[in-house]
Amino acid sequence: MKFTDRLQQLTSRIRPKEPVNMPPGMTHYLRETETGITRFHLRIERDGSGLLVANATALARLSPSGAIIAKGLLEERPEAEILEALKTTFRGAASEVMAQDIASVSQLLQQLTAPGDAYPVFNLDDMALASDSVQLIAPLQAALPLAPLDTLRPLLERLWEVGIPHVTFFAPQAPNATDLVRAVERAEDLGMIAGVRARASDLLQEGLLSDLMVAGLDHVTFPYAALDADLHDALFGAGDHQAADTVLVWLEENELCANIEIPLVEKTLPGLETVIHSLLGRGADNFSFVAYVTKDPTLAGKHDGALDADAMPQIAAIVEENAHEVQARFLWEPPVERDPAQTLGEQLQQGPRCAGDVAVRVESDGRVIPPRGPYQSAGNLLQDSWDVIWNHDAFRRYRERVEALTRCEICPGLVICAADCPRERTGWAQKP
């Protein structure tokens, strides 16, 4: 039986007869494992599905049945009791299938306690562990520009309070090392997964990577444009290519997750396949692709480097084929609209607005910006209730995209099309 057929069969058989009776929100658990005490945080969504965070290090999505199982296992309830809870909540599922699901979630709990250097968001293809459609109470991740801890502390605490378990600090050029370390420490103290996005050359301040690792850093994202050092350095600054190679070696030796941000512009496309192969051979297997796009024919005609919007499906197909062939884990960032007010290098160094479609941007003053569309604030994290922010018009299409994946008939198999057509400006992270 094909895997997709099994999913359809499970979806039709394991249908809740009524919404799962678990209130939305985050619950904290401590569980003793072979490696010591593990902190788990289980976030229940409005539809009963869930998110499970382990040791502020790894996160996995859960279907409604998976959330019930995880809650029962974390509360150390007998398997028979968990099985009975599933039977009373779902119709048509065989006891053997439910028992298999319990075993799958139990295995997931073990995996989450020792994720190694994998990117901290697990997308496991099992009906008990993940679902294609969820009704989120909040995004999974927030991107915050680096600032002093006095500025970041109330933002981090508010993010954790509303149930956002993952934060990535976007560091500027020559960041304040103390600010960066203290930001990661505070996120870790709260129980959040913490990452940093920066140029490799900015991470090589003396002792910074070691200090970040001690502080609890979970992953590092840095740009890597090409194997050609001159091309990369022309975009990210002199010496950054060598720094990127050095940082990658350090992360591999210290078993810290490296997430490689690959900018897609005219000059980087020809060497994409060799870049991926080279990085895989050096231990990297997590990639983020950021396309810089324009609909302005004048700008495209100047060979500025921006990709033409109409070419995006074909470009995306090539990128995804390369990634799939080598079995690399990859994430599409929302395409970024090319801003002619900046040089190409300046815009690429600034990077994407945030990380993926299940993330938001939170500015230092508390403004909350959706990952796609106009640079429009949905409210202020420090002043407005989360319900007001989450139900703002700026998030309406965001929720529709994330909660019900959409595709068209022209290119139905592309991952990049799951949230928005890459040819349409409405789906890009538009310039402020």
Side-chain angles (χ1 to χ4, degrees):
M1 178 184 295
K2 292 182 179 179
F3 176 68
T4 53
D5 294 336
R6 180 173 179 266
L7 278 182
Q8 291 175 353
Q9 185 182 75
L10 282 169
T11 303
S12 62
R13 289 189 311 183
I14 312 180
R15 183 77 65 184
K17 57 185 178 183
E18 60 183 50
V20 177
N21 188 24
M22 289 192 294
M26 189 99 79
T27 306
H28 175 240
Y29 298 93
L30 290 175
R31 191 169 189 248
E32 189 170 356
T33 65
E34 293 180 358
T35 56
I37 300 296
T38 298
R39 292 181 299 163
F40 284 100
H41 291 89
L42 178 62
R43 187 178 103 179
I44 302 299
E45 311 290 0
R46 289 188 177 90
D47 61 355
S49 63
L51 295 171
L52 186 61
V53 185
N55 276 342
T57 303
L59 178 151
R61 291 174 54 193
L62 300 166
S63 71
S65 59
I68 291 176
I69 296 168
K71 185 174 186 295
L73 291 173
L74 290 171
E75 293 175 353
E76 299 184 342
R77 299 185 182 276
E79 182 174 327
E81 184 176 332
I82 299 173
L83 190 58
E84 187 60 31
L86 292 172
K87 288 179 178 178
T88 58
T89 307
F90 300 91
R91 289 178 178 174
S95 296
E96 307 84 61
V97 174
M98 293 182 179
Q100 290 173 5
D101 288 345
I102 293 173
S104 295
V105 177
S106 179
Q107 183 178 11
L108 172 66
L109 293 179
Q110 296 178 22
Q111 183 181 6
L112 288 174
T113 62
D117 61 352
Y119 191 74
V121 177
F122 287 69
N123 295 305
L124 302 178
D125 295 325
D126 191 294
M127 188 60 186
L129 303 177
S131 58
D132 289 332
S133 178
V134 294
Q135 296 176 16
L136 300 176
I137 62 172
L140 306 188
Q141 183 181 168
L144 272 67
L146 181 63
L149 185 59
D150 286 345
T151 299
L152 292 177
R153 182 186 288 109
L155 296 173
L156 292 171
E157 291 172 355
R158 182 71 177 128
L159 288 169
W160 184 245
E161 181 182 309
V162 302
I164 298 178
H166 186 176
V167 62
T168 297
F169 300 104
F170 277 47
Q173 290 189 33
N176 183 300
T178 299
D179 285 347
L180 195 54
V181 173
R182 293 180 70 189
V184 170
E185 284 177 338
R186 183 56 188 152
E188 167 67 18
D189 288 344
L190 288 169
M192 302 179 84
I193 297 169
V196 166
R197 188 270 178 194
R199 294 188 312 165
S201 50
D202 292 314
L203 293 167
L204 288 183
Q205 296 184 41
E206 185 176 356
L208 177 57
L209 283 171
S210 296
D211 290 344
L212 288 170
M213 184 172 67
V214 171
L217 186 67
D218 296 300
H219 62 92
V220 176
T221 297
F222 59 94
Y224 201 107
L227 291 181
D228 182 339
D230 291 338
L231 172 56
H232 177 97
D233 287 354
L235 297 171
F236 291 99
D240 192 69
H241 188 272
Q242 179 60 51
D245 289 337
T246 302
V247 168
L248 182 58
V249 170
W250 191 94
L251 295 175
E252 177 69 12
E253 290 177 349
N254 289 275
E255 298 183 347
L256 193 60
C257 173
N259 181 47
I260 310 299
E261 179 188 300
I262 298 183
L264 300 179
V265 293
E266 285 185 353
K267 290 185 178 180
T268 62
L269 288 178
L272 179 64
E273 184 176 0
T274 55
V275 166
I276 294 176
H277 277 279
S278 173
L279 292 171
L280 282 169
R282 288 179 279 163
D285 55 6
N286 302 288
F287 300 92
S288 293
F289 298 118
V290 190
Y292 292 82
V293 195
T294 186
K295 273 187 172 291
D296 184 345
T298 304
L299 188 60
K302 291 180 179 178
H303 302 289
D304 172 79
L307 303 175
D308 183 83
D310 290 335
M312 278 303 297
Q314 181 180 2
I315 292 170
I318 295 171
V319 172
E320 292 182 19
E321 181 180 357
N322 285 330
H324 284 306
E325 282 182 355
V326 296
Q327 298 182 333
R329 294 190 292 267
F330 71 95
L331 170 73
W332 276 111
E333 311 286 3
V336 177
E337 182 178 27
R338 177 72 181 98
D339 182 0
Q342 297 179 295
T343 68
L344 183 63
E346 288 171 343
Q347 189 169 16
L348 266 60
Q349 290 177 39
Q350 182 177 303
R353 184 183 293 176
C354 54
D357 274 301
V358 287
V360 291
R361 175 90 171 192
V362 179
E363 300 294 3
S364 298
D365 60 4
R367 287 174 297 147
V368 180
I369 315 295
R372 292 177 182 254
Y375 188 90
Q376 177 184 5
S377 174
N380 192 294
L381 190 67
L382 300 177
Q383 300 170 6
D384 301 319
S385 75
W386 182 250
D387 283 343
V388 168
I389 296 172
W390 196 227
N391 290 295
H392 190 279
D393 284 346
F395 274 111
R396 178 178 58 81
R397 291 190 66 247
Y398 167 88
R399 292 196 308 273
E400 290 173 354
R401 288 190 300 266
V402 175
E403 293 174 2
L405 303 183
T406 57
R407 300 182 188 278
C408 69
E409 297 179 357
I410 298 175
C411 41
L414 292 180
V415 175
I416 196 175
C417 299
D420 252 316
C421 176
R423 294 174 297 180
E424 298 300 326
R425 184 171 182 262
T426 54
W428 303 347
Q430 296 173 23
K431 57 191 177 184

